[in-house]
Amino acid sequence: MTTTTPTPSPAVRERSPGTAADPGAAARRRRAVSQWLFIAPAIAYMLVFFSYPLVRNVVMSFQQYTPATYFTGEAPFTGLDNWRAVLTDELFAASLWHTLVFTAGSLAGQFVIGMALALFFSRRFPLSGVMRSLLLLPWLIPMVVAGTVWRRVLDQETGVLNEALQGLNLTSGAIPWLSSPDFALLSVILVNIWIGIPFNMVILYGGLQEIPREIREAAVLDGAGFFRRFFGVTLPMLKPVVTVVLVLGFMSTVKILDLILALTNGGPANATETLGTHTYQLSFLQLDFGQGAVVGNVLILVSMVFAVIYLRANREGMAR
Amino acid sequence: MSSTHTTTTGVRLTRAKRLDYASLVFGVLVLAVLLFPLYWMVNTALQPSAALAEIRWLPQTLDLSNFRSAWNSQADNLLTSILVALGAVAVCLALAAPAAYALARFRLRGARTVVFGTLITQMVPGIVVANALYNAYVELNLVNSYLGLILADASLGLPFTVILLRAFMVSIPEEVLEAGMVDGANRFRVLLSIALPMSRNALITGGLFTFLFAWSDFLFALTLNTTDAVKPVTLGIYEYLGAHVGDWGAVMAVATLSSVPAAILLVVAQRYVAAGISGGSIK
């Protein structure tokens, strides 16, 4: 992040409250107003598309929505009914658990493989640049498309993965990747790892480039082996980048919906239902927006914890 | 002395070269494994449906019938996707450019709070936005409208673009901008005629990513539309998958068509894409 130094400048001094006698005060105020006009449209837009939904979801979580609401326009307040109904539902606990497993599993896989690839690509060899950009493709295609493609690859009967595993005699029968509750969550995690590898790789690669060569060379001269070098030098120096990657990864993973809808639709037997898909099911399929809002609010609470971590990491980055 | 020096360098070079080729081979392997699903998508799309009962590692003939039927069913949706994505880019850049400029160049009290708030917005889950937005859209008559979807999709790229543009505009030397103000041009003129042309790369990156985000959007397309009036290709493929499950050739042809923008971007605008992924997150 670019350094915004808080050194007092003429413009800052200008801001200090002028006395009534100051003839320039009015002009300055007028200028400040005209300057804010540059930002006003963006702020208004963000208030409508981000702040309003946050507030409205809290209000909605205390209201009762039924399909009839759209004819009558009435959504009466029912206190904590929605919260009670959602939180005592077993499906909510399951969704919360799936969300945590999905997020933790995805992050671990994406990070480890992304890091390995970043290290691999930071040695220069022919075509490494071209390969690095080709690897971005999984991240660039729409998630619904990725889900659709993997549904084909993982298909129990006609999928190429089962065909290959059986051809190599690695498994005796076809594995029901997406059609068995025992495998579905794992499969969805594997696909999401595939999607997230490029993002992790690109940012970690960028971080690795920033580490001065001399430091690693010095460690080599000191006789440090690969793992000593990685855990003793590279990883500590990469820490700010690692934090940002993990937190951004968390933020985007915890709310994933389209991938799961395309792959499993939350099934089989709710095995891949997460907070995101559960909100969608409640609001848009059962048309109970009040209960959907409750789950959405829980999702926000979970995200908020990590938002704080992200902003702290970012502030450290800004101070650099 | 000097001869031994050259030999050691020579030995080191050949060893380095051997390592190069080992890396190259390993790199190709990694690439093959990670891109295999996409290869399989195209491979399936190119085979006649009847041939799909058995696994064919290579298409036997170039059969375009799947693409023909995919095009017939999805051409309208592809056009919708393009229109919506371009609209989102226009809205996003029009809002982001002046805001980023003001946040970067003016010393306004509260500017830090705005930057902070912009960072936070990236953390609001889309489904939460959709939940509230749908209900507001019903009241405002924006459900099933291009405008409604464009405005919603622009929100996917706006925070990212503001942060990216601001980071870029902070680094423009003040003298360059002041030079434009000598003739009495106001700040808005300076933005239009000096700051924006200089920020071209950042604008392209922000625009590309907003396009990509909007093109990939499925959530808003799914929730803010109740009829077929406005149907982007992401929604098209989802419904197609439900209706044609089993006819993988046709479904994979649609998937291939909807990946085209990503593929084009990667070839044409490679450096902007890499810059966008790293710049948008760390800066």
Side-chain angles (χ1 to χ4, degrees):
Chain A
M1 192 86 215
T2 336
T3 352
T4 33
T5 33
T7 42
S9 67
V12 171
R13 250 177 280 131
E14 227 172 82
R15 276 207 260 103
S16 54
T19 53
D22 188 348
R28 276 197 293 275
R29 203 171 307 126
R30 221 172 324 150
R31 207 179 65 177
V33 168
S34 74
Q35 290 185 336
W36 272 104
L37 286 179
F38 280 70
I39 320 182
I43 292 183
Y45 180 87
M46 288 195 278
L47 286 176
V48 171
F49 281 88
F50 295 108
S51 309
Y52 164 77
L54 287 181
V55 176
R56 178 88 185 246
N57 264 279
V58 173
V59 176
M60 282 166 81
S61 70
F62 299 107
Q63 283 178 290
Q64 189 188 10
Y65 279 80
T66 61
T69 303
Y70 293 96
F71 299 105
T72 60
E74 277 166 30
F77 283 89
T78 53
L80 289 171
D81 281 5
N82 288 330
W83 288 84
R84 216 172 289 127
V86 168
L87 298 183
T88 55
D89 185 3
E90 273 172 32
L91 191 51
F92 171 78
S95 309
L96 185 60
W97 174 242
H98 296 154
T99 305
L100 296 177
V101 173
F102 175 72
T103 309
S106 299
L107 284 187
Q110 294 172 355
F111 180 77
V112 170
I113 300 177
M115 180 61 116
L117 289 180
L119 284 170
F120 171 67
F121 278 104
S122 41
R123 55 171 63 185
R124 301 234 156 66
F125 57 90
L127 295 181
S128 64
V130 177
M131 285 186 199
R132 249 187 309 126
S133 32
L134 280 177
L135 276 180
L136 295 179
L137 256 183
W139 191 77
L140 290 174
I141 61 169
M143 258 196 204
V144 173
V145 174
T148 309
V149 169
W150 273 94
R151 202 158 142 173
R152 159 91 184 129
V153 171
L154 296 175
D155 193 272
Q156 189 179 352
E157 306 300 330
T158 65
V160 64
L161 184 60
N162 275 337
E163 201 76 25
L165 288 175
Q166 283 169 290
L168 296 168
N169 276 324
L170 289 171
T171 53
S172 50
I175 295 174
W177 292 107
L178 296 171
S179 43
S180 147
D182 299 331
F183 286 96
L185 188 58
L186 175 71
S187 305
V188 174
I189 291 172
L190 288 177
V191 175
N192 190 45
I193 289 175
W194 179 76
I195 291 176
I197 288 171
F199 177 78
N200 280 259
M201 182 194 70
V202 168
I203 298 187
L204 292 170
Y205 176 85
L208 285 174
Q209 301 306 305
E210 307 258 299
I211 298 179
R213 247 184 148 50
E214 303 83 57
I215 296 183
R216 281 207 269 177
E217 274 164 13
V220 175
L221 286 180
D222 288 342
F226 174 79
F227 288 100
R228 270 301 290 283
R229 250 176 14 243
F230 178 71
F231 289 104
V233 181
T234 312
L235 205 53
M237 293 201 69
L238 220 62
K239 204 186 145 209
V241 182
V242 169
T243 316
V244 169
V245 163
L246 288 179
V247 175
L248 283 176
F250 178 90
M251 306 300 328
S252 54
T253 307
V254 78
K255 60 186 180 191
I256 281 180
L257 180 85
D258 29 7
L259 180 70
I260 297 176
L261 287 186
L263 274 171
T264 61
N265 235 321
N270 299 321
T272 54
E273 191 85 307
T274 57
L275 291 178
T277 59
H278 194 33
T279 310
Y280 171 72
Q281 307 272 4
L282 286 171
S283 290
F284 291 95
L285 297 180
Q286 298 176 24
L287 294 177
D288 193 331
F289 284 88
Q291 293 199 10
V294 172
V295 185
N297 287 331
V298 174
L299 187 55
I300 292 172
L301 277 179
V302 176
S303 306
M304 207 78 103
V305 177
F306 284 80
V308 173
I309 301 177
Y310 172 68
L311 288 165
R312 286 192 55 177
N314 222 286
R315 215 172 24 223
E316 275 167 37
M318 272 191 211
R320 260 190 307 161
Chain B
M1 187 64 192
S2 71
S3 68
T4 45
H5 185 75
T6 34
T7 42
T8 46
T9 324
V11 168
R12 210 176 290 154
L13 263 182
T14 47
R15 194 182 296 156
K17 203 171 264 173
R18 215 176 302 141
L19 202 66
D20 270 4
Y21 286 118
S23 300
L24 177 64
V25 171
F26 184 74
V28 171
L29 260 171
V30 167
L31 205 64
V33 170
L34 284 179
L35 295 189
F36 178 79
L38 299 178
Y39 166 72
W40 205 243
M41 164 180 84
V42 180
N43 181 32
T44 307
L46 285 173
Q47 303 195 15
S49 299
L52 289 172
E54 51 188 301
I55 303 275
R56 288 171 199 262
W57 296 96
L58 288 169
Q60 313 281 276
T61 52
L62 287 189
D63 180 84
L64 292 179
S65 58
N66 289 322
F67 279 98
R68 221 166 291 132
S69 60
W71 178 258
N72 286 338
S73 73
Q74 301 293 326
D76 288 349
N77 302 342
L78 286 164
L79 185 66
T80 300
S81 283
I82 292 175
L83 290 176
V84 169
L86 288 178
V89 171
V91 170
C92 174
L93 291 184
L95 291 169
Y101 178 69
L103 291 172
R105 312 303 314 192
F106 302 159
R107 292 174 185 279
L108 289 168
R109 193 180 291 176
R112 285 183 82 102
T113 315
V114 176
V115 175
F116 189 81
T118 309
L119 279 170
I120 291 235
T121 59
Q122 291 182 304
M123 276 137 220
V124 182
I127 184 67
V128 172
V129 177
N131 217 29
L133 218 51
Y134 177 78
N135 287 282
Y137 270 28
V138 168
E139 287 153 29
L140 295 169
N141 253 327
L142 279 172
V143 179
N144 302 319
S145 73
Y146 278 90
L147 180 66
L149 191 55
I150 286 172
L151 287 175
D153 280 358
S155 76
L156 300 171
L158 184 75
F160 167 84
T161 308
V162 169
I163 306 268
L164 191 79
L165 268 180
R166 177 185 165 275
F168 189 88
M169 286 174 163
V170 162
S171 64
I172 301 178
E174 186 60 37
E175 301 83 55
V176 177
L177 298 175
E178 268 167 8
M181 294 177 68
V182 173
D183 328 324
N186 64 28
R187 279 295 197 171
F188 196 67
R189 281 286 298 278
V190 174
L191 168 67
L192 284 184
S193 54
I194 303 174
L196 284 186
M198 286 190 71
S199 316
R200 210 192 63 190
N201 284 358
L203 282 169
I204 293 176
T205 309
L208 278 184
F209 271 79
T210 305
F211 185 90
L212 215 59
F213 292 155
W215 180 274
S216 302
D217 165 60
F218 171 68
L219 180 62
F220 289 139
L222 178 69
T223 54
L224 300 179
N225 293 296
T226 54
T227 65
D228 284 351
V230 183
K231 195 202 284 182
V233 73
T234 46
L235 192 52
I237 191 174
Y238 183 65
E239 292 178 2
Y240 205 64
L241 184 64
H244 294 74
V245 73
D247 185 4
W248 284 115
V251 175
M252 291 297 109
V254 180
T256 308
L257 286 181
S258 45
S259 311
V260 166
I264 293 179
L265 278 190
L266 209 57
V267 175
V268 178
Q270 226 197 75
R271 63 194 177 111
Y272 297 109
V273 172
I277 296 180
S278 47
S281 50
I282 298 192
K283 281 182 183 155

